[in-house]
Amino acid sequence: MRAGQRCGAGFLLLAFLAALSLPGCGPAQRAGDRSGTLVIAVQKDIRGFDVQNYSLSSLEAVHVNVFNHLVKWDAALNLTPDLALSWERTSDRSWRFHLRRDVKWHDGSAFGAEDVKFTLERAARDPLVTDSAYRVIAKVAVVDPYTVDIVTKRPDPMLLNRLARVGSYIMPSAYIRRNGFQHYLRQPVGTGPYKVTSWSRDDQVVLSANESYFGGRPGWKTVVVRAVPDDSTRVSELVAGSVDLAVGLPMSDVGRVASLPRLKVVSGASQRTMQMVVKTSPASVTGDVRIRRAIDLAVDDALICRTIFSGHCETTLQVVNPGTPGFDPTLDGRSNYDPQLAKALLRQAGYDPRRTLSMVGTSGVFSQDREVAMAVAAMLREAGFTVALDLVDGTRFNAMIRRRKLPDVYIVGYTSSMFDGEPSLARFANLTGKGVSDFKDAGYAALIKSAGEQLDPARRAAQLASVQRILADRLPVIPMYRLADIYGVRSGLDFTPRHDELIVADDIRPRSSERPLMNSPPSSVQSPPSNPGRR
């Protein structure tokens, strides 16, 4: 690799980044005293309070503060007690959970084993967004009011992970049966540190402290979670002092926000890996593995991290994330960039530049995704590809995946709220025919299936490592980099980002030891969601 080649790619990338940059907003202004109130600006509103019927961890900014799981992830991604105090495996297909006895729902009624049975059997049996993660549950048996047995259809090494993920928040069975599901959606109750006071769709959710919370007194009197999808508006609100924490700070505003005395920029490594998913069918432009390897070699992931993200990402050669089974530390912090070898492989494979490589990238879905897609397309063209790039919004992108109208290459950011390597690798196994790629490999699928039932951690790790080697050899997916989550934060707050993208209100603390409180707003919940799911 010659220095001039890297400079050429860098110049190309920097040129269009300069053309895309936008001017900043005005100086910071103080919005007034909001003692005891925390205001968080997020990119998307919740979809409602059917907490089992969605799959995006980015929507949990509200739910994580209102509801509880049986077990939960702590900030270091350790599984810890939540509504369950302890648990043990009683057989290859059965676990016993011992529940807390001091938990009240927000309406004052007692939490117990029937709530767990209602919730998890609904998750396993009803046609919900998250149902595939819970089909493994055969039944939940109530042993006594504070003990349950969860029986699975097969040995499941990830049951605890499932119980701590999106879709397994415990719901109030008696409240729902007594009042009906629609009433619950309008006036939800949970067991968490905050109660729902009001919800205005596509505007904000107001939460008030649950003084009877089993985990102790909540840190804030009021928590307001505002939906502000437009990046510039969200930053302007932060700069003006209208919000205390802004999620998803765009890179174009990082320097300006960091320079303001009342604000700071906080970033942390996420579990979301950006990757190129590539067609492998023989008839496609990318059917020859040498073409797929040339794509990998043509893209300078390290340059993208340095220029587009100012170092707020890390290159990687794997889709499995740190701290999870299957992660290989030797594959992190690396990139396969070699443009000369990419060109040589294209010649060997007989690539005809008259054959256009179809490529889809998103715009406004992932951090800097538009700029990244344009950079990748430019690098592929420089290597000799003829590229047709289509930039789409989230709705079009999701429809493309759902209908399996896949281009030769698409760029996507995947994570797994189960924090295990198997779900990240199983995406490409096509075990149900509904995978995210067209990749088919019997050995790969068999290893994934076996790892899904392997209870011996060492054997399972070896299986997942073998799966990764197949991916690296066949290249149906090309890992690029792991994103960092970037936040704008009022300087008077202590906040450390979590790896799971959750915004836990009580993890955000004023630097002062005293915390004056405000009265909470009047109680009402508006705009119930249109798709409540089945009871």
Side-chain angles (χ1 to χ4, degrees):
M1 180 177 63
R2 296 192 302 269
Q5 291 161 342
R6 179 174 291 272
C7 291
F11 178 80
L12 200 77
L13 178 56
L14 290 170
F16 72 72
L17 286 178
L20 291 172
S21 63
L22 298 173
C25 303
Q29 297 180 6
R30 191 177 182 86
D33 184 20
R34 292 194 308 271
S35 299
T37 298
L38 176 68
V39 183
I40 303 167
V42 298
Q43 294 150 303
K44 299 177 182 178
D45 191 16
I46 61 170
R47 294 175 179 173
F49 293 96
D50 186 348
V51 291
Q52 295 181 301
N53 207 17
Y54 72 103
S55 61
L56 296 176
S57 56
S58 60
L59 301 181
E60 284 196 90
V62 172
H63 297 153
V64 70
N65 296 294
V66 176
F67 300 91
N68 293 91
H69 298 94
L70 284 182
V71 299
K72 66 180 180 180
W73 300 104
D74 65 13
L77 294 184
N78 298 307
L79 285 166
T80 60
D82 200 5
L83 292 175
L85 281 173
S86 62
W87 50 87
E88 65 269 3
R89 187 189 292 276
T90 54
S91 75
D92 283 355
R93 301 188 182 193
S94 182
W95 288 76
R96 176 159 290 184
F97 292 82
H98 306 278
L99 310 179
R100 299 186 66 103
R101 297 169 180 261
D102 57 346
V103 179
K104 299 290 185 183
W105 292 99
H106 292 160
D107 68 344
S109 59
F111 155 80
E114 290 292 345
D115 299 311
V116 177
K117 179 179 176 65
F118 169 85
T119 298
L120 297 181
E121 290 189 347
R122 177 179 186 257
R125 298 173 183 175
D126 281 15
L128 305 172
V129 171
T130 59
D131 59 5
S132 62
Y134 300 99
R135 293 297 187 206
V136 69
I137 296 176
K139 67 176 181 178
V140 179
V142 174
V143 179
D144 62 46
Y146 294 101
T147 309
V148 295
D149 287 342
I150 299 178
V151 181
T152 57
K153 298 175 183 176
R154 56 171 173 77
D156 182 19
M158 293 193 299
L159 180 67
L160 293 179
N161 304 55
R162 299 180 199 279
L163 299 180
R165 75 179 292 277
V166 172
S168 62
Y169 288 114
I170 303 301
M171 301 173 69
S173 60
Y175 181 87
I176 291 173
R177 291 189 175 110
R178 183 172 62 251
N179 300 294
F181 204 80
Q182 291 297 325
H183 177 87
Y184 160 79
L185 293 175
R186 292 190 297 270
Q187 297 185 32
V189 299
T191 53
Y194 294 92
K195 304 177 182 181
V196 178
T197 297
S198 66
W199 175 38
S200 298
R201 187 185 288 276
D202 296 325
D203 181 13
Q204 66 179 24
V205 182
V206 179
L207 309 177
S208 59
N210 172 19
E211 300 294 344
S212 301
Y213 178 51
F214 65 87
R217 184 185 180 190
W220 301 93
K221 184 68 174 178
T222 305
V223 175
V224 181
V225 182
R226 296 182 52 194
V228 188
D230 181 71
D231 285 346
S232 60
T233 303
R234 200 164 58 255
V235 172
S236 295
E237 297 265 18
L238 175 71
V239 171
S242 302
V243 302
D244 300 305
L245 183 147
V247 177
L249 192 66
M251 289 305 307
S252 57
D253 288 293
V254 167
R256 182 170 63 92
V257 170
S259 70
L260 298 174
R262 295 192 183 95
L263 299 176
K264 60 183 176 181
V265 174
V266 179
S267 67
S270 76
Q271 293 277 313
R272 189 171 299 278
T273 300
M274 298 302 296
Q275 46 206 278
M276 290 182 281
V277 181
V278 190
K279 270 189 176 179
T280 61
S281 56
S284 64
V285 175
T286 51
D288 189 319
V289 71
R290 291 172 294 182
I291 301 292
R292 300 196 294 275
R293 195 161 301 282
I295 292 172
D296 186 17
L297 294 166
V299 177
D300 191 346
D301 304 319
L303 181 65
I304 289 173
C305 280
R306 287 198 309 274
T307 55
I308 296 180
F309 294 99
S310 300
H312 289 281
C313 68
E314 182 178 22
T315 58
T316 185
L317 299 180
Q318 63 185 321
V319 297
V320 180
N321 295 310
T324 62
F327 175 74
D328 184 347
T330 66
L331 299 177
D332 247 31
R334 294 174 53 193
S335 173
N336 288 329
Y337 179 62
D338 188 336
Q340 289 306 305
L341 182 54
K343 293 175 181 178
L345 284 173
L346 286 184
R347 289 192 296 270
Q348 290 175 20
Y351 171 72
D352 184 348
R354 290 174 296 183
R355 292 195 72 185
T356 299
L357 183 78
S358 62
M359 178 178 163
V360 170
T362 55
S363 182
V365 178
F366 307 103
S367 177
Q368 309 301 120
D369 51 0
R370 179 170 178 261
E371 292 87 345
V372 169
M374 294 177 69
V376 169
M379 292 172 180
L380 292 177
R381 291 183 184 116
E382 190 175 356
F385 286 97
T386 301
V387 181
L389 172 63
D390 187 15
L391 293 171
V392 301
D393 61 18
T395 300
R396 285 182 59 197
F397 184 82
N398 291 333
M400 177 192 81
I401 301 297
R402 186 173 59 253
R403 297 169 185 165
R404 295 184 59 74
K405 301 292 185 181
L406 305 177
D408 296 316
V409 180
Y410 68 87
I411 303 176
V412 64
Y414 282 129
T415 185
S416 172
S417 62
M418 283 194 279
F419 303 110
D420 186 276
E422 181 202 324
S424 298
L425 295 165
R427 287 190 179 99
F428 309 100
N430 281 317
L431 297 176
T432 63
K434 297 180 180 179
V436 300
S437 77
D438 69 347
F439 179 56
K440 295 179 181 179
D441 183 287
Y444 187 95
L447 279 168
I448 286 290
K449 186 174 181 180
S450 180
E453 300 183 10
Q454 178 56 252
L455 300 181
D456 183 283
R459 291 182 180 178
R460 190 163 183 267
Q463 289 172 332
L464 294 177
S466 296
V467 169
Q468 294 229 63
R469 286 193 291 272
I470 294 174
L471 274 190
D473 180 61
R474 300 288 302 280
L475 287 179
V477 60
I478 299 172
M480 299 172 64
Y481 56 87
R482 191 173 303 109
L483 282 170
D485 292 325
I486 305 176
Y487 305 82
V489 187
R490 181 162 58 85
S491 57
L493 295 177
D494 284 327
F495 169 66
T496 301
R498 295 171 57 101
H499 293 291
D500 54 15
E501 301 181 353
L502 299 185
I503 307 295
V504 178
D506 283 353
D507 286 349
I508 306 169
R509 294 177 294 273
R511 293 191 173 181
S512 169
S513 59
E514 296 297 322
R515 193 193 306 269
L517 302 176
M518 286 180 62
N519 293 326
S520 55
S523 177
S524 65
V525 178
Q526 307 168 16
S527 306
S530 57
N531 180 21
R534 285 167 41 191
R535 287 184 58 183

